[in-house]
Amino acid sequence: MFHHSKDLQFNARVSRPDPVFANILLEQFGGENGELAAAMQYFTQAFGAKQPHPDKYDMLMDIATEEFSHLEIVGATIQMLLKGINGELKDAADASEIMQVLDGNAAKENIIHSALTANPHFVMLSSGGPRLANSQGIPWCASYIHSNGDLTVDLRSNLASESRAKLVYEHLMKFTDDPYVKETLSFLMTREVAHYKMFEAALDTIQPNFPPGVLQADPRFTQQYFNLSPENSFEGPWNTGEMPGMGKDWELIEDPITFVKVTDGLTDLPDRKAEETEETEALNIKMSEEKSAEVKSSEPEGIAQWSEYSNEI
Amino acid sequence: MFHHSKDLQFNARVSRPDPVFANILLEQFGGENGELAAAMQYFTQAFGAKQPHPDKYDMLMDIATEEFSHLEIVGATIQMLLKGINGELKDAADASEIMQVLDGNAAKENIIHSALTANPHFVMLSSGGPRLANSQGIPWCASYIHSNGDLTVDLRSNLASESRAKLVYEHLMKFTDDPYVKETLSFLMTREVAHYKMFEAALDTIQPNFPPGVLQADPRFTQQYFNLSPENSFEGPWNTGEMPGMGKDWELIEDPITFVKVTDGLTDLPDRKAEETEETEALNIKMSEEKSAEVKSSEPEGIAQWSEYSNEI
Amino acid sequence: MFHHSKDLQFNARVSRPDPVFANILLEQFGGENGELAAAMQYFTQAFGAKQPHPDKYDMLMDIATEEFSHLEIVGATIQMLLKGINGELKDAADASEIMQVLDGNAAKENIIHSALTANPHFVMLSSGGPRLANSQGIPWCASYIHSNGDLTVDLRSNLASESRAKLVYEHLMKFTDDPYVKETLSFLMTREVAHYKMFEAALDTIQPNFPPGVLQADPRFTQQYFNLSPENSFEGPWNTGEMPGMGKDWELIEDPITFVKVTDGLTDLPDRKAEETEETEALNIKMSEEKSAEVKSSEPEGIAQWSEYSNEI
Amino acid sequence: MFHHSKDLQFNARVSRPDPVFANILLEQFGGENGELAAAMQYFTQAFGAKQPHPDKYDMLMDIATEEFSHLEIVGATIQMLLKGINGELKDAADASEIMQVLDGNAAKENIIHSALTANPHFVMLSSGGPRLANSQGIPWCASYIHSNGDLTVDLRSNLASESRAKLVYEHLMKFTDDPYVKETLSFLMTREVAHYKMFEAALDTIQPNFPPGVLQADPRFTQQYFNLSPENSFEGPWNTGEMPGMGKDWELIEDPITFVKVTDGLTDLPDRKAEETEETEALNIKMSEEKSAEVKSSEPEGIAQWSEYSNEI
Amino acid sequence: MFHHSKDLQFNARVSRPDPVFANILLEQFGGENGELAAAMQYFTQAFGAKQPHPDKYDMLMDIATEEFSHLEIVGATIQMLLKGINGELKDAADASEIMQVLDGNAAKENIIHSALTANPHFVMLSSGGPRLANSQGIPWCASYIHSNGDLTVDLRSNLASESRAKLVYEHLMKFTDDPYVKETLSFLMTREVAHYKMFEAALDTIQPNFPPGVLQADPRFTQQYFNLSPENSFEGPWNTGEMPGMGKDWELIEDPITFVKVTDGLTDLPDRKAEETEETEALNIKMSEEKSAEVKSSEPEGIAQWSEYSNEI
Amino acid sequence: MFHHSKDLQFNARVSRPDPVFANILLEQFGGENGELAAAMQYFTQAFGAKQPHPDKYDMLMDIATEEFSHLEIVGATIQMLLKGINGELKDAADASEIMQVLDGNAAKENIIHSALTANPHFVMLSSGGPRLANSQGIPWCASYIHSNGDLTVDLRSNLASESRAKLVYEHLMKFTDDPYVKETLSFLMTREVAHYKMFEAALDTIQPNFPPGVLQADPRFTQQYFNLSPENSFEGPWNTGEMPGMGKDWELIEDPITFVKVTDGLTDLPDRKAEETEETEALNIKMSEEKSAEVKSSEPEGIAQWSEYSNEI
């Protein structure tokens, strides 16, 4: 159950209207790396986490709720950056001071023209408020969020999401010189860094967490690096030497076309790794048992109830 | 700023898993008339309402927050209806009891098969949790919501939204016989009715509220009913007699093709309504002044601050 | 079956090209509140209305057909506002007078540059004609329309749609000073008001029409107003006093967190309203019978035929 | 201006309800190759065609109007195929005969279950009517249509659209054995073939119509066929012998990697075709003049008016 | 299996940055008629073509691979047109030379401002690189492509696609005066013409290829031209005289409303064409047998293997 | 420039048709975590990486090209799983053995019915081939991919993408018992693990790589953990003790509502961290200079050329 306090988490202020900046700030209101995307991602992940991992559920709901609160800060800032537009639009009978949009020579070269240029929807659809869309007018879409029912995957999705959101705030800060807005952005950007560290710490408490999910990598296909763009190639720790944390070496396939042909499409590899394959299968069974039991044992028998209300069921 | 309490607003319970119903219930989680759509619609409308209409802002935030809480109830119910799937999927090495998806004759005719049939994403993407999508897998999209910066319009959008959401819950109740789920749906359906009445009452406090917006209808074009599908036509209060609450009569154009031709595309109407047009223009100016002043006077001069923090700005 | 007359319903004219206005006018051609959205909404609703409510079917088809005719007016206006672009683009070998888009210092500072700035698709994709997209280039999408197979719901959706469309035309009128275009917009805006009144009158002929659909509200959950954003709260007819037209009083829950806890998630409410619940159930059965019979009895037995052709079937 | 006659263009009939077929038939109501897509494609193309090519405008509007009429036929057929669902849903208090969706053992194994399985939206959202979506629930979207402001391109888009629509009807006919439905589909499929021939004939009246648009192909890059998937290659008239209707031969580049390297990325081709390039440039200038003049000369000076109303402007 | 060579197929160069042109060039990177659309269309079509038509499979993969290579050229050109932006954005602490986006009076009137105006995502999301979106920011979407599993249809879709892509390049060439960019565009435009000819030649090798698909047109409904927009009508080879290549004459229905009524919705046509119908049915059976056998006989019995690897299966 | 070899990278085989599995496998052809998403993500990222980081460019193109090759493997497998459908559909005149879709009692209970049930588009649109859509028919969309022009962000996006893709393959393996298909899936799943390790190693070569981007976290807002879902809370390394790798401790805000109020919306924090803020600003300037110089110095002056062709420019 959610509650709302009319005080913002951060005291957002704006020195003067700026429709151009309001428009690009939409990116963090209704954009792919914005606050709604973050809030809905963690909120949706939390449902699956609740029973097997109540501690992670608690963390996901804490952070999701903070992201909703950030969404409100961003929306409030956009609304303040568009001050004046709603009032102008309500002056609907303004017949004497006709605006000339085409040639821009109008006497009334004002906030409403800036808004129209920055984002036609500010004057046509939202009447000077935030829209749940990005800076190019694309409505927010749930395909922006990732929630896959496995914390070793979901927490990694979150590390990536926080990284992207941080970068967008960093870029946004270049396009305003309003010290109040800059301070709000600095707060929001920093919280993405803090959340990153929370998710990193949480992922570290799950061991093993690699490979993500349950199954191990198939030893026959783990080590090859296929040099499929072969000219001007570089060597680096991603194709040469030891695979990080895997206890194996990379196997650089210099000429993949030939290699694939001679191995009959990788089905006739020189080293069939029979022993490793057996070990992998045993590990798969062990991991399956453990991970599956972890979930199943946390689910109550019989009628399910979400909250801990006292009434008998 | 939002806060979260781990207790649901309503004590949602589920007797037994039911992936088919979980799938159709997605309609109210990530669908066009669902709880996120309602929550985001009122939340987005609230930004513009805050300064000129703090009472409506308060109401919109109260209801938006309740809708977020309903979203949580729906998500929790879906999660409970999918009990067992996540655990089955983590049993990833399950090599001995191979499933035969094609012919359905498998020994293991279980929950995971039901889920796959009901919604492939339950087993491929969400691993047994809610997705922010509708019952056909379409990701939730912000084009579902309406927020236009004018309460005489926004509140009418809300009356329509609540009507649709109520109807979907009514239909959902036909497809479950789980008494706990039915009770939850009855609660959710009823709250849509309650919200409808709240919005109706709020709209009534704004006078005049018709036509929505500021400008009056152009008297030359208000009364005609164009009979454009002319066979087997019916008369009713929508084309005959008095226009409701307008003090005018409908003017039924039986043969629009001819009427349009002889009036040179309605530019040469028999009754030019010169007097009424003048009155309308005067009323437009008056309404513009009032409505515009209402907004402009509520906006503070100088630096804008959203919350009422005490520090000087 | 549709027919087309080459004369527009309104004699649309344009004084001079204006790509900026053409672009924002797209909002009513291919936007969420535009003419196609209205036309398709009523057209789609009409299918379900035909048999039980042939009078409403007639009205929906009359208005849908008018909206198609308005779509044509809007498209024609956009085309006229873009006069010159198609011809310029066909001058494809124009090698001597190269355009410098970047710095804008080109000698040929003409209509095609205005179009490019207003909407790149005017020069890249539509070659100077209307696109079925909104003013930010988002293609028209059927998730804009609402058609739910119940007139008490559909007609309310239509009241909201007409309200929004009216507001957009009001805003559009501020951005042109072409008297011909203004007159066309005044016509189109006014027709939205007229349609609003038609739908209102039609809804009023269906009694009872509240709650929308068939089922009554559950008396246990109808009256509460949850004060979920509790600071600086306001009282109004939406949370205090009588619920409009319901013969009941609002019940303002000042502290929802506590209330929910002590009522075990609203399952242990102080007043269980047993008698009212019984009455409601009886009413539900009565309404179900009536509404269901209304539809079923209107459907012919045996082979279905849509039109009233005379041939035996 | 559009008009509507309540008689369908074809006397659509249905022997018995069939929700499964209703669902796949949605493909031609709200799908990418369906009737709305066709109608909107030709309708949108018509705006640009009106002045320079009034004969093609007439044809496009004739066919667009027929496609709207086909959309109505498809919608009516879907509605008839779903007979019974709306009535069942209105029987909302149906408490005694609870449906068991999960295991399908319900006594009431009826039309509404078939509908739910075929398309959840038939029971949740449309209540037994057509939705403007395809057979998988994707809302119709204007990115399905092509309208590019040049008849040599638009008519080719139409040939492709008619071909796809014809094929879908052909496939649909395999999935019904209702002779009335089959007859309707046969009519609709055949009309796509007829329209194909209309567009083909119209394209043929424009000479030259190849290359589409105005500019000629650059002679340096016209003839090469790059054999980029080189194994098991085939020769055919698409890479060997004469290019159809071009008076040139294909130039098959057997080893594109080497060819590109030795020609410095095709900038140092052996045959620079200086003479042909000059001719091409001359032809470009000539075509530009003609095509551009054709459009420009058809546009009236001064105030633009769409229809031929008699009033002076 | 794909391979990549770091050399572009064409030596793309750029004289100077130009964010405005970079933005409109996105149309061919991530737009509906762009290179990814072409590549994915032919690539997807190729799967179905492989077994019955290995020669067409070879051609489709050759051209698909060329289109991927063109996608790379377009992306590289956009990246070069945005030179400077990524470096500017990384200068994130740039506190002294604050940019004033609103009034544009900033001292630093540079590339980054041009980019922001041209496309906010260049500075917010892509940091100065190409996005897989069109010039209005709409993400690329697979509903742009057509792949229907029948070469008589697919090749026609390709003729239309190439026509549209050619036209967009023609338009793009008007908006740059950079000779290097113009040359690259000339190369890309010309290749669309070359591909058109390849597809045309391939379609011609399939006989008969009309009507597309298998079934013949129903002789009862093939010849009528419905004059549904009857005023100011034109006659042309699309409604008068012989249908091209069909050996039949058009039948112009001057008054479709009456015609439909007197024929009972076309079910009681004067000429029932019994003989032709019989011939058509015979031809349908013959074509079905041939076309079906062509596909079925090309599919191997038993285990399917895609590539021609030598290992026994 | 791309090239294609007709041999698949892995020798994909299929024992027998299985439309149900073909449909869920679409998830990795045209779904959000599928092979096209991976290929396009790395391909798009590569453009920005090319000049400052040619080694990472090489790696990104190697892996992107492998993902395109995997897309081909998945498409080929789907095509083989749908064997028989295309041939059946071409048997279009099949009049004697009518299919009864509704009740499923048809004599011809065959592959085509399975396909229709699994995915209507297999029989309506793709005629038995892969569609660029996910398992619920949603067309692939570029909003699935992340490319942000900063390797410290992009490589983290890739770690998350590979994690999700790995999990989907793990789930897919539960739904087939065809040993050939299982082997292909095991190959594809394992390659995601291998790619994960490549991206991890590459990220590690960039130091420092945290925070992602250029700017440091604002020391005033870095350490707080807001306990916004306060009941049944847990402590863990994500809110208690040391922040991983930051040399600072978490600061757990137990009662955020009060904390925010007393700090005036966090603008009046007890510890203003003046010294740390100064250090951070110095570090921001240093990092900006370094990162910016790294990019700018790698960009050539004057005319830009993508490939290393020898011709003078």
Side-chain angles (χ1 to χ4, degrees), chain E residues 68-105:
Chain E
F68 277 126
S69 304
H70 293 178
L71 182 70
E72 190 185 18
I73 291 170
V74 175
T77 303
I78 293 169
Q79 186 75 39
M80 292 188 284
L81 286 163
L82 296 172
K83 190 172 78 173
I85 291 166
N86 196 276
E88 281 300 317
L89 285 168
K90 294 218 181 309
D91 197 2
D94 178 12
S96 53
E97 294 176 88
I98 295 290
M99 286 169 222
Q100 292 169 322
V101 173
L102 175 62
D103 49 24
N105 295 333

Side-chain angles (χ1 to χ4, degrees), chain E residues 3 29-30 83 86 97 124-125 142 151 163 171 180 194 266 284:
Chain E
H3 310 277
F29 190 73
K83 190 172 78 173
N86 196 276
E97 294 176 88
M124 289 298 116
L125 294 186
L151 282 174
S163 299
H171 291 171
Y180 291 118
L266 306 180
N284 283 345

Side-chain angles (χ1 to χ4, degrees), chain E residues 301-304, chain F residues 13-17 81 83 177-181:
Chain E
E301 296 285 308
I303 293 162
Chain F
R13 288 170 284 183
V14 162
S15 302
R16 61 178 177 280
L81 287 163
K83 190 172 77 175
D177 59 355
D178 182 330
Y180 291 119
V181 174

Side-chain angles (χ1 to χ4, degrees), chain D residues 16-21 23-24 27 32-33 114 134-136 138 167-168 170-172 174-177 182 226 228-233 256-257 260-261 264-265 267, chain F residues 1-7 23 88-94 98-102 108 112-113 116 119-121 123-125 127 131 135-139 309-311:
Chain D
R16 60 177 177 282
D18 183 347
V20 172
F21 192 74
N23 184 51
I24 59 177
E27 208 58 49
E32 64 197 64
N33 302 311
S114 296
N134 72 7
S135 64
Q136 301 228 43
I138 321 285
L167 189 69
V168 176
E170 181 174 312
H171 290 169
L172 277 165
K174 282 189 83 69
F175 295 95
T176 180
D177 59 355
K182 260 189 176 346
F226 291 89
L228 285 161
S229 178
E231 295 140 355
N232 302 322
S233 286
I257 304 186
V260 162
K261 268 195 214 306
D264 275 337
T267 54
Chain F
M1 188 184 185
F2 288 91
H3 310 276
H4 179 255
S5 152
K6 290 200 179 64
D7 294 319
N23 183 51
E88 281 299 318
L89 286 168
K90 293 216 182 311
D91 196 1
D94 177 12
I98 294 291
M99 289 167 220
Q100 292 170 322
V101 172
L102 176 62
K108 202 172 176 180
I112 208 165
H113 280 114
L116 177 65
N119 183 333
H121 284 175
V123 293
M124 288 300 115
L125 296 185
S127 309
R131 294 253 307 159
S135 63
Q136 300 228 45
I138 321 285
Y309 290 114
S310 56
N311 57 338

Side-chain angles (χ1 to χ4, degrees), chain F residues 67-107:
Chain F
E67 303 286 20
F68 277 126
S69 304
H70 293 178
L71 182 69
E72 190 186 18
I73 292 171
V74 175
T77 303
I78 293 169
Q79 186 76 37
M80 291 188 284
L81 287 163
L82 296 172
K83 190 172 77 175
I85 292 167
N86 196 275
E88 281 299 318
L89 286 168
K90 293 216 182 311
D91 196 1
D94 177 12
S96 54
E97 296 175 86
I98 294 291
M99 289 167 220
Q100 292 170 322
V101 172
L102 176 62
D103 49 26
N105 294 332

Side-chain angles (χ1 to χ4, degrees), chain A residues 6-310:
Chain A
K6 291 200 180 65
D7 294 319
L8 295 176
Q9 190 194 5
F10 187 83
N11 184 19
R13 288 169 284 183
V14 162
S15 301
R16 62 179 176 280
D18 183 347
V20 172
F21 193 73
N23 183 50
I24 58 177
L25 188 49
L26 275 178
E27 208 57 51
Q28 294 301 82
F29 190 73
E32 64 196 64
N33 303 309
E35 300 291 355
L36 182 62
M40 293 313 298
Q41 182 159 308
Y42 311 149
F43 174 71
T44 310
Q45 291 172 356
F47 289 103
K50 182 165 180 283
Q51 273 174 339
H53 305 289
D55 55 342
K56 305 304 184 310
Y57 171 74
D58 179 45
M59 180 192 73
L60 287 165
M61 286 307 303
D62 283 335
I63 305 181
T65 309
E66 186 173 350
E67 302 287 20
F68 277 126
S69 304
H70 292 178
L71 182 70
E72 190 186 18
I73 292 170
V74 175
T77 302
I78 292 169
Q79 186 75 38
M80 292 188 284
L81 287 163
L82 296 173
K83 192 172 76 174
I85 292 167
N86 195 276
E88 281 300 317
L89 285 169
K90 295 217 181 310
D91 197 1
D94 177 13
S96 54
E97 293 175 89
I98 294 290
M99 285 168 224
Q100 293 168 322
V101 173
L102 176 63
D103 50 23
N105 294 333
K108 202 172 176 180
E109 193 63 60
N110 59 11
I111 189 73
I112 209 164
H113 279 115
S114 297
L116 177 64
T117 307
N119 182 334
H121 284 176
F122 282 157
V123 294
M124 287 299 116
L125 295 185
S126 79
S127 309
R131 294 254 307 161
L132 209 51
N134 71 8
S135 64
Q136 299 227 46
I138 322 285
W140 190 89
C141 172
S143 58
Y144 297 158
I145 73 172
H146 300 290
S147 172
N148 294 88
D150 187 296
L151 283 174
T152 64
V153 170
D154 282 352
L155 292 169
R156 283 182 169 96
S157 290
N158 299 355
L159 294 175
S161 297
E162 296 290 348
S163 300
R164 294 192 295 265
K166 191 269 179 185
L167 188 70
V168 176
Y169 279 122
E170 182 174 310
H171 291 169
L172 278 166
M173 290 174 77
K174 283 189 81 71
F175 294 94
T176 179
D177 59 355
D178 182 330
Y180 292 118
V181 175
K182 261 189 172 355
E183 194 180 26
T184 302
L185 296 175
S186 185
F187 165 73
L188 292 167
M189 181 191 82
T190 297
R191 295 307 298 161
E192 311 296 15
V193 178
H195 295 162
Y196 184 103
K197 283 290 162 186
M198 295 170 197
F199 291 127
E200 184 184 72
L203 180 57
D204 202 49
T205 65
I206 304 170
Q207 290 300 339
N209 64 38
F210 191 84
V214 172
L215 296 180
Q216 303 305 301
D218 188 325
R220 295 171 294 169
F221 311 123
T222 309
Q223 292 163 271
Q224 298 94 344
Y225 183 97
F226 291 89
N227 186 31
L228 286 160
S229 177
E231 294 140 353
N232 302 321
S233 285
F234 286 78
E235 296 200 348
W238 52 83
N239 60 20
T240 311
E242 201 181 333
M243 294 180 74
M246 296 284 277
K248 302 183 178 192
D249 283 345
W250 291 111
E251 184 184 338
L252 177 51
I253 313 290
E254 291 284 7
D255 178 0
I257 304 186
T258 304
F259 186 79
V260 162
K261 269 194 213 306
V262 301
T263 60
D264 273 338
L266 304 180
T267 54
D268 191 18
L269 291 170
D271 175 358
R272 286 164 193 264
K273 296 184 196 270
E275 198 179 328
E276 266 188 75
T277 298
E278 218 164 279
E279 280 166 25
T280 297
E281 276 166 19
L283 192 48
N284 282 344
I285 290 169
K286 182 169 158 293
M287 286 287 291
S288 283
E289 281 169 3
E290 282 177 21
K291 291 277 190 176
S292 183
E294 193 178 59
V295 175
K296 289 176 180 172
S297 68
S298 73
E299 290 173 336
E301 298 285 307
I303 293 162
Q305 177 173 303
W306 192 258
S307 309
E308 298 186 8
Y309 289 114
S310 55

